[in-house]
Amino acid sequence: MDKTLTHHKVRCHPLYKSGEEALTRLPDCPLQKRPVLINHWLRFCVWSTTQDGNQLDSIVSVTRDHVIRYGQYLKSEFDLGKRLSTAGAASSLSFVNAVMRLMDNDWQTVGAVTDCGIQPCSHIPTDKLQLDKNGRPDSESLAGYLLELQSVLGVTVREALLLDLKKSLIEGRRTGFVTVTHYQNGVRRKVPCRPAAIKALGRGIAARRLQKRLPKKWAFDDFLAAHNKLAARKGYSTNTARGHYARDRYRELTGVEPPILSGLSRTDHWHAIAQHTNKTLSEAKGLDKNSRQAIAKELGLLGIETVSSFLDK
């Protein structure tokens, strides 16, 4: 059902109306807080009337068990990847508690952690990011997040800038993959979203929030210049970060270091794969080729030749 229609129907429900009337009537409810409390009460009523099995017809019918089940439902949304953090779930539960305390001075608060298992969890850092002497976001700090996204997702700088980071973080947590759109041809590909990528996406979200404090909207060239400056100082080229991704993925897929790190010849490298995986030499060659093809696909490349420049001596 359409969300607007659902909200309209719930607003006509006795449960919502009784709560709204009570909040409007109570002298203890601060005037500036009423719209916020009513909005969170609406969310509780939507859940109660559409998803909870025990239907209620008035705010006086609400018990701790109902609110605990609501808190557990909010936690399940985070577990299913529908929320970026549990902070929103804990906040929603807190507002419902506030409504119930206004109605009943003896209301026993439902604990987010103790009663509903909502542990404080977020992949978005809350510590302040670097600012320059003018109080503006540091360009290299912002560019560093692009570099990190490249190394953990294998994306180009343009693809990193085009990523919907919040959507990618939710998708990555829920499915273990992130959908990347190729910046030139628009072709989509699935890239594994490992724990390091989850953290990088969260830091990227924080960086983009900071980016809004810039005096003007940065163009791609501004980010690229800062990115290249930072990469050069750290010994990277514009593609070395993607090479880092390729080498990590090769190690995961084959169990051995790529030749560029091990220093082995092609034949010795195949023997090393065969020994590590307990396969025949022919099977080891096939694993090597299939791994390179998988990495090329994840990087958005048409063949394995470019991958070879990342993996071979």
Side-chain angles (χ1 to χ4, degrees):
M1 185 183 296
D2 180 75
K3 184 177 180 180
T4 303
L5 180 59
T6 300
H7 283 190
H8 174 72
K9 287 189 174 183
V10 172
R11 285 191 178 94
C12 298
H13 194 280
L15 175 62
Y16 172 78
K17 293 176 72 173
S18 65
E20 183 185 34
E21 290 172 2
L23 288 171
T24 304
R25 189 173 61 250
L26 286 173
D28 295 336
C29 182
L31 186 62
Q32 66 272 21
K33 278 192 174 183
R34 286 179 186 174
V36 179
L37 290 172
I38 289 174
N39 183 51
H40 282 277
W41 179 249
L42 174 62
R43 296 180 187 180
F44 172 76
C45 293
V46 169
W47 166 82
S48 179
T49 57
T50 61
Q51 294 178 266
D52 188 38
N54 192 348
Q55 296 291 321
L56 304 173
D57 56 7
S58 172
I59 191 171
V60 297
S61 306
V62 178
T63 66
R64 282 191 88 250
D65 287 340
H66 292 110
V67 180
I68 288 174
R69 286 203 302 275
Y70 179 58
Q72 292 170 342
Y73 157 75
L74 294 173
K75 176 182 179 296
S76 71
E77 285 198 317
F78 174 78
D79 293 337
L80 292 172
K82 295 180 180 180
R83 291 175 178 264
L84 291 173
S85 74
T86 54
S91 177
S92 295
L93 185 64
S94 175
F95 277 110
V96 174
N97 274 315
V99 171
M100 297 311 300
R101 279 195 299 271
L102 287 170
M103 291 297 300
D104 180 5
N105 291 330
D106 297 325
W107 174 259
Q108 186 179 353
T109 299
V110 174
V113 178
T114 56
D115 295 313
C116 305
I118 303 176
Q119 299 292 337
C121 182
S122 175
H123 300 295
I124 304 174
T126 56
D127 47 325
K128 293 182 179 179
L129 301 177
Q130 297 178 24
L131 300 176
D132 62 19
K133 61 183 180 181
N134 298 316
R136 295 172 180 169
D138 179 64
S139 60
E140 288 195 6
S141 177
L142 291 175
Y145 292 101
L146 297 176
L147 200 63
E148 187 177 15
L149 286 172
Q150 281 190 274
S151 66
V152 296
L153 291 175
V155 293
T156 66
V157 184
R158 289 182 184 271
E159 289 168 345
L161 286 169
L162 290 172
L163 270 181
D164 184 330
L165 297 181
K166 290 186 177 181
K167 183 178 179 181
S168 297
L169 180 54
I170 290 174
E171 180 188 17
R173 286 189 53 248
R174 186 177 68 248
T175 68
F177 290 89
V178 168
T179 301
V180 176
T181 303
H182 195 284
Y183 75 95
Q184 286 181 320
N185 54 28
V187 175
R188 295 185 176 186
R189 64 184 190 273
K190 293 286 186 180
V191 178
C193 188
R194 299 163 292 171
I198 293 288
K199 294 179 181 179
L201 287 166
R203 284 191 281 264
I205 291 171
R208 286 194 181 172
R209 287 178 179 173
L210 191 64
Q211 179 191 339
K212 294 178 181 178
R213 295 179 58 180
L214 289 169
K216 63 180 181 65
K217 187 177 180 180
W218 273 22
F220 169 77
D221 289 343
D222 297 317
F223 276 106
L224 186 59
H227 172 278
N228 291 345
K229 181 180 177 182
L230 177 65
R233 201 176 71 239
K234 291 182 175 292
Y236 284 101
S237 67
T238 53
N239 267 327
T240 311
R242 300 184 81 204
H244 178 78
Y245 172 86
R247 291 187 289 274
D248 270 358
R249 286 292 291 143
Y250 187 86
R251 193 183 300 111
E252 290 176 1
L253 294 171
T254 65
V256 301
E257 297 280 8
I260 196 171
L261 297 179
S262 66
L264 297 176
S265 65
R266 179 64 63 87
T267 303
D268 290 340
H269 176 66
W270 287 334
H271 280 289
I273 295 177
Q275 183 178 4
H276 178 79
T277 59
N278 198 26
K279 295 178 180 294
T280 66
L281 186 59
S282 177
E283 290 172 331
K285 291 180 181 180
L287 177 59
D288 174 63
K289 181 179 179 181
N290 292 338
S291 299
R292 290 167 183 264
Q293 289 175 338
I295 294 169
K297 186 176 181 180
E298 292 169 10
L299 291 173
L301 304 174
L302 296 177
I304 63 175
E305 292 76 16
T306 306
V307 175
S308 297
S309 67
F310 294 142
L311 302 177
D312 296 329
K313 291 193 296 181

